[in-house]
Amino acid sequence: MNTFGKILTLTTFGESHGPAMGGVLDGMPAGVDIDMERLQRFVDRRRTGQSVGSSTRDESDKVEILSGIWQGKTMGTPVGFVVRNDDARSADYEQLAGCYRPNHADFTWEAKYGIRDPRGGGRASARETVARVVAGGLAIQVLDFLGITVTADVEQVGDSTDHFDEIIASAVSEGDTLGGIIRCIVHGAPAGLGEPVFNKLHAQLAAAMMGIPSVHGFEYGDGFVMATKRGSEVMDVFERREDGTIGTKTNHSGGIQGGISNGEDIVMRIALKPVPTLMRDVPTVDRDGNPLTLHARGRHDVCVLSRALPIVEAMAALVLLDNYLIQKTHVL
Amino acid sequence: MNTFGKILTLTTFGESHGPAMGGVLDGMPAGVDIDMERLQRFVDRRRTGQSVGSSTRDESDKVEILSGIWQGKTMGTPVGFVVRNDDARSADYEQLAGCYRPNHADFTWEAKYGIRDPRGGGRASARETVARVVAGGLAIQVLDFLGITVTADVEQVGDSTDHFDEIIASAVSEGDTLGGIIRCIVHGAPAGLGEPVFNKLHAQLAAAMMGIPSVHGFEYGDGFVMATKRGSEVMDVFERREDGTIGTKTNHSGGIQGGISNGEDIVMRIALKPVPTLMRDVPTVDRDGNPLTLHARGRHDVCVLSRALPIVEAMAALVLLDNYLIQKTHVL
Amino acid sequence: MNTFGKILTLTTFGESHGPAMGGVLDGMPAGVDIDMERLQRFVDRRRTGQSVGSSTRDESDKVEILSGIWQGKTMGTPVGFVVRNDDARSADYEQLAGCYRPNHADFTWEAKYGIRDPRGGGRASARETVARVVAGGLAIQVLDFLGITVTADVEQVGDSTDHFDEIIASAVSEGDTLGGIIRCIVHGAPAGLGEPVFNKLHAQLAAAMMGIPSVHGFEYGDGFVMATKRGSEVMDVFERREDGTIGTKTNHSGGIQGGISNGEDIVMRIALKPVPTLMRDVPTVDRDGNPLTLHARGRHDVCVLSRALPIVEAMAALVLLDNYLIQKTHVL
Amino acid sequence: MNTFGKILTLTTFGESHGPAMGGVLDGMPAGVDIDMERLQRFVDRRRTGQSVGSSTRDESDKVEILSGIWQGKTMGTPVGFVVRNDDARSADYEQLAGCYRPNHADFTWEAKYGIRDPRGGGRASARETVARVVAGGLAIQVLDFLGITVTADVEQVGDSTDHFDEIIASAVSEGDTLGGIIRCIVHGAPAGLGEPVFNKLHAQLAAAMMGIPSVHGFEYGDGFVMATKRGSEVMDVFERREDGTIGTKTNHSGGIQGGISNGEDIVMRIALKPVPTLMRDVPTVDRDGNPLTLHARGRHDVCVLSRALPIVEAMAALVLLDNYLIQKTHVL
């Protein structure tokens, strides 16, 4: 259940305070040039300490490719990779072994497995996403070759659509945390990608985004607002363009109709809840239900929006490339 | 790509104007009592003509079980079933073969397959969902046995949260259509269901709901609103309850933490776009990009919210039961 | 677990004495011509009463296509189909409900599901294979279009490589049964099909064949005999042919090297055990372990080799077409 | 396509002369004790230089666990692991880049991917199996806890059933190679494991074994010999045993009936072709079809039977544990 995708599959592993995070990206088409420096730069965008309000945990996040790429090209074989954990301070987390942090996965994890690694959240840590960013960074390079680009940006932090640094600084000063909204746009995807029934392209994108830690909402095109409109207000009328192709005059549909891309920009919005770890005393209970107070320690983000951008791009890229490859099987 | 689920899998088939819709529900646990009359009543909730603004196409939607249930019990074998299409008037759709209806899948379907069945939208028709409702209706009976219930209701039609019949009547009179928002609640799910990384319980639910025709948005718990709050405002503090169990005082998290159910109600909201077929003249183009006017005919819904309720419940039930079964494999 | 394949998937359902057998063939490429009469002739090859020693159960095995094919062409949508059971005499099987027939699945089925349909073996009946033959018959027509043919023949009945009718007549007279060996050859498959590690082309073929009832052995190329040879004796030396292509002078490898087709004929052999139901009194036990004597009734084959030929061809065709489609995803 | 299994899944990566081989074993049940020294000993059984006729390539094959096991217990999270390649002499293989070795995957690999890593066979090298042995070694420890054991032994080398060292020494002296037959027995598996249609337990075992390099044949129970017998000769009659359980007096069926284990020993035989690399001059062609002579270099096995035993046990263990876990989902 740690595998994502159908033809292009990513399987990840790793706990926050174990020796390494890593993954296997399988199904990459053979013979594609890979720029390793570009990949590392992409992964670095997810690192901490890059912006106000992010954790001070310092990981070099050096990508180590173990297979699948040789002489700068994909070989068609699975790309195995690891990213070492070199700044794990487990002692910070010892008090956490016996209690459940609110809005974290401590309680549910124990309910599921009957056992839990309390060091830095174990596998429930957002550090797990580094493997997705490595894999997505590889997929992005293939998409580039195909003329498809994926771009995410921060649309909203908390209830604010600008002055992000100011609102984050304010939350820091109060020991509080923030969430927000990310918009992601896929440009250049050809019409025809996706599946028409269960695996609609937006259903796959929704699953990909909802699988990112802290995400609580997903919409594409006009999304929730579209539900409040009349049909006549959101109709994307077709037209013949100057180059002879057929497109739509507007894009309320967000580039997808009937679960299949229509050649317009694919537009989606992703809602992230506020970071669950406050820099305040927090009441909770231990395993026996006894009340106790949690004095937050460790190094935590106040707002993860900017760090989440490459994760969103990575997951979108994995979905798009997988569907691009699958589409090759639908017509002889 | 017409299969949904992992251990409990639903595979569907059927075009709107072909002989029948149908499916195979595989992985149903053996030995569970099935009430066929109850199943038929559940499927009937999806039929047309049940409320103001729904299509007048009249299908009996009689469920015919072909395998997997014997003497009123599941046998552990795949449940094959069909629902005949007995009121298909293909002539209504002849004008549609050569043109692309806005906000429909006509254009994208041709881009994908190079060929398209224009009769009633073919497989892109929402009639396809009848197979999901049959399968979900079976899953609901197993969930019942496990003490888990799934309930969806209409929260909003267009921009209105009440007087639904009035607003629908108004849209009908204008030849226009409406969307809206459905809320779905799962009660009684034990803690521990779902997977912590890619296949988070809410990621699976999102994919399930986004796979329903017309759905443009999904959120769980406080959803998009949660993104605007501070961490201190949405903290679900744990407490020991009178019966000795541990639960949360509030449920901003919507019953899921870290992708795994926590035993509270699972709460989600689903946004549906307005029905794409207007009862008005609509401009569009043919395959060569030549402009033409579409005079809508056929029988169409003005608002599908009430008909969508059993579809939402069905998809939620399939996800919950699948995860219930998978959870049995995680601990010896 | 009743689904076979990855991109081209077949999901089947149906019990021997239920209303119908059926299946869903999903992933068929769009736009391929299908000859329905040819399909029915292929399915008829599996029917009983076609040769000495086969059961007298008379099923018309009329294929009813419910979706996915329109105006004689595949539409890219799932092909749903049923074959009605019109000669089910359940009374013949009543004595079997309480006891375990040797070399049948009665005992194991109860161990697995805790419940069992005794009528004609339920889903454990070889009648289940009719759905595979329908699906395989469709795949064969696509393969034909691609220049790939699949042919199976009976190589051995019991310990005899000729005079099959004589040996079968002899077994009939003794109330005994026979097995044998089928050889299957795939001609025209391009080099490059299959996967190099777990899903080797021959591993997929082995699983496909071992999934056919009664099959106890599989080999490809020189098979078990190859294990007794020296490396120098089974070397398939490469040569340049007159048409400029590269091929091998011999074919000990059976058309597959490293799990991937090499363009030579793919050659495999399949061993079937004797039919388990004898026309004799047979000792067994009931559920409590009490000894009893089974007086075989019902209509049973003495030797199924000739009826198994289209099943073998069908399964081989499904594997080949699936791999043909998958191969399209490996290179951009 | 480098993933094996359904609930318990193994995904592997690595090329013979890359930095490391590795894999991810996902779906391991939580809370099981793992003995790392025992695991290493199991992996060491696959190493070279352990017996006459094996390659002199010297790899330490030290297993490095990166995740999923903490404080000696499985955590329910994916077990990531690597085994470094520390004795890769790529220079030995330079002459091979431009030509196709007979009975190797050089030609087919290029046909598939259009590109190939010639160093030590790249991913086509049998070195890839080390990852399977690591994963299988972990599965074996869980099976042990469940009372299930897996044992493989060499039944035949070439055409000889004893004096293996003598026949191997003879082949070495002639620069020739040998294959043979391995028998594998699973003891203690409960009745009820496996699936009755496509994924019969023996079909899964066949795929698992045929996926091992060099394997050309698989049979279970009486296998190919069973095909030559009459039904009356291979009937496994049921009896009530002294402990009150029901079993069979004989085991021609090899512990599986109808694709489901019956509680008897599961018995299978696997045929391996002779090692393809001879220590002789061998004729072949280059990419353009020009004839050339291959002077074998590098370090190669003459007979791999003894090294293959832990691979066979590993693959059998993965299948058995996967099916054990799946069986938990069939009955509530």
Side-chain angles (χ1 to χ4, degrees), chain C residues 133-145:
Chain C
V133 176
V134 173
L138 290 166
I140 279 169
Q141 295 196 23
V142 182
L143 290 179
D144 248 26
F145 176 78

Side-chain angles (χ1 to χ4, degrees), chain B residues 16-37:
Chain B
S16 176
H17 289 208
M21 316 307 291
V24 186
L25 180 63
D26 197 10
M28 281 284 275
V32 179
D33 291 320
I34 298 296
D35 177 339
M36 288 304 299
E37 291 185 16

Side-chain angles (χ1 to χ4, degrees), chain B residues 84-123:
Chain B
R84 294 277 160 186
N85 296 326
D86 45 22
D87 185 28
R89 302 185 198 159
S90 300
D92 287 351
Y93 295 92
E94 271 174 19
Q95 70 152 323
L96 301 176
C99 77
Y100 302 131
R101 291 170 296 165
N103 288 28
H104 279 83
D106 303 340
F107 175 80
T108 54
W109 204 274
E110 280 193 22
K112 183 166 200 68
Y113 299 109
I115 193 172
R116 174 167 66 93
D117 175 357
R119 301 169 304 157
R123 183 148 178 77

Side-chain angles (χ1 to χ4, degrees), chain C residues 112 174 176 194 230 232 327, chain D residues 112 174 176 194 230 232 327:
Chain C
K112 183 165 199 67
E174 297 165 29
D176 215 332
R230 297 244 164 150
S232 59
Q327 174 59 12
Chain D
K112 183 166 199 66
E174 297 164 30
D176 216 332
R230 297 242 163 152
S232 59
Q327 174 58 12

Side-chain angles (χ1 to χ4, degrees), chain C residues 1-4 6 10 12 100-105 107-109 111-113 123 128 132 156 158-159 167 170-171 174 176-181 191-200 202-203 206-207 210-213 215-224 226-232 234-240 246 252-253 257-258 260-262 269-276 278 280 282-291 315 326-327 330-331, chain D residues 1-4 6 10 12 100-105 107-109 111-113 123 128 132 156 158-159 167 170-171 174 176-181 191-200 202-203 206-207 210-213 215-224 226-232 234-240 246 252-253 257-258 260-262 269-276 278 280 282-291 315 326-327 330-331:
Chain C
M1 307 300 270
N2 289 273
T3 296
F4 182 83
K6 182 167 180 72
L10 170 64
T12 68
Y100 302 131
R101 291 168 296 165
N103 289 27
H104 280 83
F107 174 79
T108 55
W109 203 273
K112 183 165 199 67
Y113 298 109
R123 183 149 178 77
E128 165 267 321
R132 309 189 193 195
Q156 194 172 312
D159 55 4
I167 186 174
S170 154
E174 297 165 29
D176 215 332
T177 60
L178 291 161
I181 292 172
L193 306 188
E195 300 292 322
V197 179
F198 297 116
N199 298 305
K200 288 179 166 70
H202 52 267
M210 299 298 286
I212 298 173
V215 174
H216 261 259
F218 173 89
E219 60 182 14
Y220 78 103
D222 286 0
F224 274 86
M226 204 167 180
T228 68
K229 302 286 185 182
R230 297 244 164 150
S232 59
V234 294
M235 185 175 297
D236 291 321
V237 175
F238 287 102
E239 63 179 351
R240 181 167 50 195
I246 293 172
H252 301 290
S253 301
Q257 280 166 333
I260 303 168
S261 65
N262 66 358
R269 293 169 80 247
I270 298 112
L272 284 85
K273 71 174 183 181
V275 169
L278 306 192
R280 296 181 183 179
V282 165
T284 189
V285 298
D286 65 15
R287 275 174 201 162
D288 302 316
N290 300 315
M315 294 307 299
I326 292 169
Q327 174 59 12
H330 283 301
V331 181
Chain D
M1 306 300 270
N2 290 274
T3 296
F4 182 84
K6 184 168 179 69
L10 171 63
T12 67
Y100 302 130
R101 292 168 295 163
N103 288 29
H104 279 83
F107 174 79
T108 55
W109 204 273
K112 183 166 199 66
Y113 299 108
R123 183 149 178 77
E128 166 267 323
R132 309 190 193 194
Q156 195 171 312
D159 55 4
I167 185 173
S170 154
E174 297 164 30
D176 216 332
T177 60
L178 292 161
I181 292 173
L193 305 189
E195 299 292 323
V197 180
F198 297 115
N199 298 305
K200 288 180 166 70
H202 53 267
M210 300 298 286
I212 298 173
V215 174
H216 261 259
F218 173 89
E219 59 183 13
Y220 78 102
D222 286 1
F224 275 86
M226 204 167 180
T228 68
K229 302 286 186 182
R230 297 242 163 152
S232 59
V234 294
M235 185 175 296
D236 292 320
V237 174
F238 288 103
E239 63 178 351
R240 181 168 50 196
I246 294 171
H252 300 290
S253 301
Q257 280 166 334
I260 303 167
S261 65
N262 66 358
R269 293 169 79 249
I270 298 112
L272 283 83
K273 71 173 184 181
V275 169
L278 305 192
R280 295 181 183 179
V282 165
T284 189
V285 298
D286 65 15
R287 276 173 200 163
D288 301 316
N290 299 314
M315 293 307 299
I326 291 169
Q327 174 58 12
H330 283 300
V331 181

Side-chain angles (χ1 to χ4, degrees), chain B residues 157 160-170 178:
Chain B
V157 172
S160 188
T161 56
D162 51 15
H163 304 299
F164 296 156
D165 284 354
E166 288 169 34
I167 187 174
I168 292 172
S170 154
L178 292 161

